[in-house]
Amino acid sequence: MMRKKNNIVIGLTTMGNEMLQISVPALGKLRQKFMLVIFNDNPVETVSRRQIRKLGYCGDLEIINSVENMGTLGARMEIVNFVRNKMPAKPDWIVFCDDDDMLIDLEIPDVADDNFAIIQGAYLLNHRVADLLRAINSPNELEPDGENIELARPHIGFAGTPLRTNILFGVADIIPEINDAIQKVNDELDYRAPVDLMMWNFVNMYARAVNPDAVPIYMDKINYIKNNLDSTRMKYGRLTRPVRNREEHYRRALAKYDAIFKTALDIARARMGTQN
């Protein structure tokens, strides 16, 4: 049961629910108060409150077990819609976490209303299981070496970044109108779509469309650990990433996603202008 207002929601999406053994214990160690909303995107498995409690999280909790696979984009938007439609007291911030990553700090500084996102740093775990185990037990003792443990400062992306709730509500209004167009671009790729970067671009575009002064702000601290140990070449029948010229491939794909979103955003703003 929700008690007083939680000003922060953590949105945790999961598909391989065994990975919750990585993400949930870390959330249980956070000192800040928040509401955890888990979207289980695996229709053949169920996530229970008892399971989450056994993993060490005892705070406010909502679990959504999907009856169909929504994909990362759809799962995250379902969490946003839950916050908008089901939580009577709307939080100011939402932070998303993948089920195999760790969110290790949730400090929200006092920032200006124009700041729609709080970018921070992250550790990237690339090769050694020992590093993952060390991160689970003592995340603040990780030492980047540039190869096995990299330091991303800043860490640019959707997951791990506190985002203004009202901006996410606006993005969620547009996504249903462009899902088919996004899927068409996805189908053209021979690798898994860069959903995290796509969604980060959408948030930036929407924030600046509704407020020309909107900017993210950078806080120089580490709040996220990205688990890159699953280095399989293929996943879900596709390459996990482009084999060559990765940045160029992503740039071209993101340009297509951005154009789709911009067109829908322009239409939505024109419609609002007509109504006003």
Side-chain angles (χ1 to χ4, degrees):
M1 178 179 294
M2 287 179 283
R3 298 179 286 275
K4 64 181 182 180
K5 175 182 177 180
N6 287 293
N7 201 39
I8 310 170
V9 163
I10 293 179
L12 179 62
T13 55
T14 183
M15 178 65 182
N17 298 332
E18 66 278 359
M19 294 298 181
L20 294 173
Q21 298 175 72
I22 298 173
S23 53
V24 173
L27 299 179
K29 297 175 184 177
L30 292 175
R31 297 180 180 180
Q32 299 91 345
K33 183 175 176 56
F34 60 91
M35 171 78 173
L36 174 60
V37 180
I38 298 175
F39 188 91
N40 172 29
D41 200 28
N42 188 342
V44 301
E45 294 185 15
T46 298
V47 175
S48 68
R49 297 179 70 87
R50 182 181 181 185
Q51 176 184 354
I52 302 304
R53 299 305 188 204
K54 288 179 68 175
L55 290 173
Y57 177 73
C58 300
D60 289 342
L61 174 64
E62 179 69 27
I63 299 172
I64 306 168
N65 286 297
S66 182
V67 297
E68 61 179 316
N69 178 245
M70 305 288 292
T72 302
L73 174 61
R76 288 173 173 175
M77 290 298 98
E78 287 295 319
I79 291 176
V80 172
N81 287 326
F82 169 83
V83 172
R84 172 161 51 181
N85 299 325
K86 301 296 185 180
M87 291 185 66
K90 304 298 182 281
D92 292 331
W93 300 92
I94 302 179
V95 188
F96 283 87
C97 182
D98 292 337
D99 60 355
D100 57 347
D101 296 341
M102 284 172 274
L103 187 64
I104 60 172
D105 191 273
L106 201 58
E107 178 185 358
I108 303 292
D110 186 13
V111 299
D113 291 341
D114 291 337
N115 298 133
F116 65 88
I118 303 172
I119 300 171
Q120 297 167 70
Y123 292 128
L124 313 180
L125 308 183
N126 295 324
H127 302 295
R128 301 181 303 202
V129 174
D131 292 328
L132 176 60
L133 297 176
R134 188 176 298 112
I136 291 172
N137 293 320
S138 304
N140 295 321
E141 296 181 9
L142 293 178
E143 297 183 1
D145 59 13
E147 180 182 358
N148 299 300
I149 304 176
E150 294 183 80
L151 175 59
R153 179 183 283 167
H155 174 238
I156 304 297
F158 193 87
T161 302
L163 303 166
R164 290 277 188 187
T165 305
N166 62 323
I167 298 299
L168 290 172
F169 289 168
V171 172
D173 285 336
I174 294 175
I175 293 298
E177 301 180 13
I178 61 174
N179 265 327
D180 290 345
I182 290 174
Q183 188 57 52
K184 183 177 180 180
V185 175
N186 292 349
D187 292 341
E188 295 171 352
L189 304 177
D190 59 3
Y191 55 87
R192 295 188 66 205
V195 176
D196 201 74
L197 291 174
M198 174 215 303
M199 297 185 72
W200 171 247
N201 284 3
F202 289 174
V203 166
N204 278 263
M205 293 169 68
Y206 184 86
R208 293 187 171 100
V210 298
N211 176 10
D213 296 324
V215 289
I217 193 170
Y218 175 64
M219 183 165 64
D220 189 14
K221 67 184 304 182
I222 307 299
N223 79 319
Y224 202 68
I225 298 177
K226 178 68 176 174
N227 175 16
N228 292 329
L229 269 65
D230 187 1
S231 57
T232 179
R233 185 170 179 269
M234 302 290 293
K235 193 170 185 179
Y236 306 129
R238 290 199 175 197
L239 292 167
T240 55
R241 57 187 64 87
V243 176
R244 298 181 179 86
N245 301 320
R246 184 185 310 174
E247 291 186 3
E248 178 62 18
H249 279 285
Y250 284 161
R251 184 192 67 78
R252 291 177 181 175
L254 291 169
K256 294 179 180 180
Y257 296 129
D258 290 354
I260 292 168
F261 189 85
K262 183 179 184 305
T263 298
L265 180 58
D266 289 344
I267 292 172
R269 293 181 69 194
R271 186 185 306 136
M272 289 298 298
T274 302
Q275 292 175 354
N276 292 335

